Every structure is written in structure tokens, then in C-alpha cells.
Amino acid sequence: MSDLLERLRRRGWRMTAQRRVIAQILDGDHVHLTADEVHTRAARLLPEISRATVYNTLGELVVLGEVAEVTVDGRAKRYDPNTRRPHHHLVCTRCGTIRDVHPTGDPLTRLPADRRLGFTVATADIVYRGLCPDCGVGSTA
Amino acid sequence: MSDLLERLRRRGWRMTAQRRVIAQILDGDHVHLTADEVHTRAARLLPEISRATVYNTLGELVVLGEVAEVTVDGRAKRYDPNTRRPHHHLVCTRCGTIRDVHPTGDPLTRLPADRRLGFTVATADIVYRGLCPDCGVGSTA
DNA sequence: TCTTGACTTGGACTGTGTCCATCGTAGGAT
DNA sequence: ATCCTACGATGGACACAGTCCAAGTCAAGA
Ligand SMILES: [Mn+2]
Ligand SMILES: [Mn+2]
Ligand SMILES: [Zn+2]
Ligand SMILES: [Zn+2]
């Protein structure tokens, strides 16, 4: 069972069937589902769960820092349960696969103070785009 | 007059009043307007211009490589006429200001081959988030 | 000036996300 | 075990961003 549920219980969350199902779906690495994808999967386990509940729960998990919102295109936001260590993303421009990636060093050192235009920079979101192994050179699929 | 229009004419584009005003609006540095913002400004010069034409024209400019789409949040895409040199973006988390920024070196060197999970990486989109000079420490506004 | 196909237009339509009044229930109190 | 009630769930209306289409308009070459 996911320790996400354990952390949530400790935070005083009321445990409902809906929240259990959503937490169960948001478990594992390289998970970057849209709200509708979460809803579809949740509905297989709990047919009458509503879209509003999925949006509410995801929003609360984001506020608690238990999941991160990831925007890799102008489409639907994706929800990422891997918040233990911050990371960046590799996106396949052909099939859309998204994978977690850990660049070397602190991404902020790339941006020296004299190029920051007076900003106080806190974070860097990086999306690397290219072709995944399945879609890369030589693929005829 | 913008040299964007000159490049477009050379590419055989039919010059219409709508395209002229859109090209005129998409001129300068640190310009990152949404489609609706472009439409609002265009309508001040050409009251009957339609939203569909703004979307059509922006889409064509993107295909031609004359403007870049920038996604800094889950909201509307932004259109960036600064495609001469690739660059990244500083976003103020308080007021939303977006500015162009040029980190040192090639952003892809941060991601060594053994961390690329077999991807063939082509580009890196980077969004630095923080507070702009107006919103930074000590601002009471 | 005429012709024609590329461009523009308004509106219908889709996808994504928010809001709200009402209903249901988890979990503490008894 | 049962009751209470505040918190959570629900469905539907709504808002925003973007796409699509049939019909009308016009830029530019003949
Ligand atoms: Mn991730
Ligand atoms: Mn820019
Ligand atoms: Zn792929
Ligand atoms: Zn600011």
C-alpha cells in the first residue's frame, strides 16, 4: 500500500473511498497522468466518482506538496507523485512519453546573477524534448 | 517597419491588413502575448478582425519558425517573436512578468548521455521562476 | 478590369478546468 | 451501536482556450 495514504492520514485527512483510489493511482515512478486520465482509471474502481472530486483532490495534493503539476504542452496539466526529489522531464516529441530525468548539478548555476535581470530566482523547470528509444533513429513504426 | 513583414513577403505570403497588424504587434523584445491579447490589440487598429484569423495567422507564423510558442503555465499559450537566437524565460511568480534570458553554455550539456534514458535530445525549454525586481524582497505593493 | 483561389469571418463545437447548491458519509461523541 | 455534523462528493452549469467550417471577401496576377 502506498505510503502517500499514510502521510495523508497523519495530516488529518478524512479517508474516503475516492481519495484512496486516487492515491492508489498516483503511485510509482514516471507517472504523469492528466486529471481526466486519473478520472478514467479511478472510475474503473469506483464507477460513480465525479470529475469534480478528482480535480478537488489533485488540487489539494498539490497544495500539500504531495504531487507536482507538470505542464509540458498547452494541453492538460499532468500530475506527478514523484516529489521526493525535484527532477526534470524528457518528452518524446513523437509519442508523447514523459520520463523523469536528473541533470547534474544545480540548474540555477547556469544563470549567473548578472544575467538574472534583477530577479530572485527560486526554481527552474526544464523540459528536454527529443525522441524516445522506441521512436528514435531507425524506427519505422 | 518590422522586417518580419519583409521576410513574410519574400516567402510569398499574401499581404492582408490583418496580417500586417498582427506582425506589427509581434515586434520587439520580451514580447510574450497570448492569442487573445494579440486579438485585443489588433482590434484597436482593425476593429472587425476575428479571433479565428488571429489563431490562423499565429499558427502559420509558428510553422514558419517566425514566432515561438511559449507555455509557462497551464493557461493560454504565449507567442514570442524573438526567434533570432533561442533563449529561455524568467517568470515572476507574483505578477506574471516574463522576460527573455540567456544562460551560459549549451543547456544540453547538463544532461550527459548516460542520463538520457536512450532519448535523442534535441532541445531544452527552461523556465526560471522567482520574483521580479518590482515584486522582490522589500516590496510592499 | 476581371478572375480566382487564398484569406477572413462568425458561430458552432471541443477540451480543460472551475464553481456551486445539495446530498452523503467519516469519524468523533455518547 | 447509534447519532451528529462538518467535511467531502456529486452533477450540472459555467468559463476559458482553442479548433473547425461554410460562406463571403479581396490581393494580386493576367
Ligand atoms: Mn516527473
Ligand atoms: Mn521569449
Ligand atoms: Zn516516443
Ligand atoms: Zn513581479
Side-chain angles (χ1 to χ4, degrees):
Chain A
M1 177 64 53
S2 108
D3 57 353
L4 171 56
L5 283 178
E6 198 43 52
R7 288 201 297 279
L8 294 177
R9 203 186 312 270
R10 231 169 296 159
R11 293 204 199 223
W13 261 34
R14 185 182 287 196
M15 261 316 132
T16 67
Q18 292 83 355
R19 286 173 173 186
R20 261 187 292 270
V21 167
I22 291 171
Q24 177 180 338
I25 288 164
L26 291 176
D27 193 36
D29 284 339
H30 305 290
V31 172
H32 306 97
L33 299 168
T34 65
D36 264 337
E37 286 165 352
V38 172
H39 179 241
T40 298
R41 295 184 186 205
R44 290 205 280 262
L45 302 165
L46 197 66
E48 290 317 306
I49 191 171
S50 71
R51 286 195 335 125
T53 293
V54 173
Y55 277 102
N56 288 342
T57 304
L58 291 173
E60 289 159 7
L61 290 171
V62 168
V63 168
L64 292 176
E66 294 290 352
V67 312
E69 282 180 350
V70 179
T71 303
V72 296
D73 56 22
R75 316 284 298 270
K77 287 177 193 162
R78 293 175 176 278
Y79 292 87
D80 186 340
N82 181 8
T83 54
R84 312 283 282 180
R85 262 178 232 76
H87 60 273
H88 304 301
H89 293 99
L90 271 167
V91 179
C92 177
T93 50
R94 186 156 169 281
C95 72
T97 292
I98 304 173
R99 308 219 63 199
D100 292 346
V101 76
H102 297 269
T104 60
D106 178 355
L108 297 187
T109 64
R110 279 275 173 184
L111 193 65
D114 65 328
R115 302 205 175 195
R116 296 189 183 189
L117 305 175
F119 276 60
T120 305
V121 181
T123 64
D125 293 347
I126 308 184
V127 176
Y128 298 97
R129 295 180 201 279
L131 293 174
C132 77
D134 289 349
C135 297
V137 190
S139 98
T140 52
Chain B
M1 177 65 50
S2 109
D3 57 354
L4 171 57
L5 283 179
E6 197 43 50
R7 288 201 297 279
L8 294 178
R9 204 186 311 270
R10 233 170 294 158
R11 293 204 199 225
W13 262 34
R14 184 181 287 195
M15 260 318 130
T16 66
Q18 292 84 353
R19 288 173 171 184
R20 262 187 292 268
V21 304
I22 291 171
Q24 177 180 339
I25 288 164
L26 290 176
D27 193 37
D29 285 338
H30 306 288
V31 171
H32 306 98
L33 299 169
T34 66
D36 264 337
E37 287 166 351
V38 171
H39 179 242
T40 298
R41 294 184 187 205
R44 290 205 280 262
L45 302 165
L46 196 67
E48 290 318 307
I49 191 171
S50 71
R51 286 194 337 124
T53 293
V54 172
Y55 278 103
N56 287 341
T57 304
L58 291 174
E60 289 158 6
L61 290 171
V62 169
V63 168
L64 292 176
E66 294 290 352
V67 312
E69 282 180 349
V70 179
T71 302
V72 296
D73 54 23
R75 315 286 299 271
K77 286 179 195 161
R78 294 178 174 276
Y79 292 87
D80 186 341
N82 181 7
T83 53
R84 311 285 280 180
R85 263 176 230 76
H87 60 274
H88 304 301
H89 293 100
L90 271 168
V91 179
C92 178
T93 50
R94 186 156 169 281
C95 72
T97 293
I98 303 172
R99 306 219 65 197
D100 291 347
V101 76
H102 297 269
T104 58
D106 179 353
L108 298 188
T109 63
R110 278 276 173 181
L111 193 66
D114 65 329
R115 302 205 176 198
R116 297 190 182 187
L117 306 175
F119 276 61
T120 306
V121 181
T123 63
D125 293 348
I126 306 182
V127 176
Y128 297 97
R129 296 181 200 279
L131 292 174
C132 75
D134 290 348
C135 297
V137 190
S139 97
T140 53

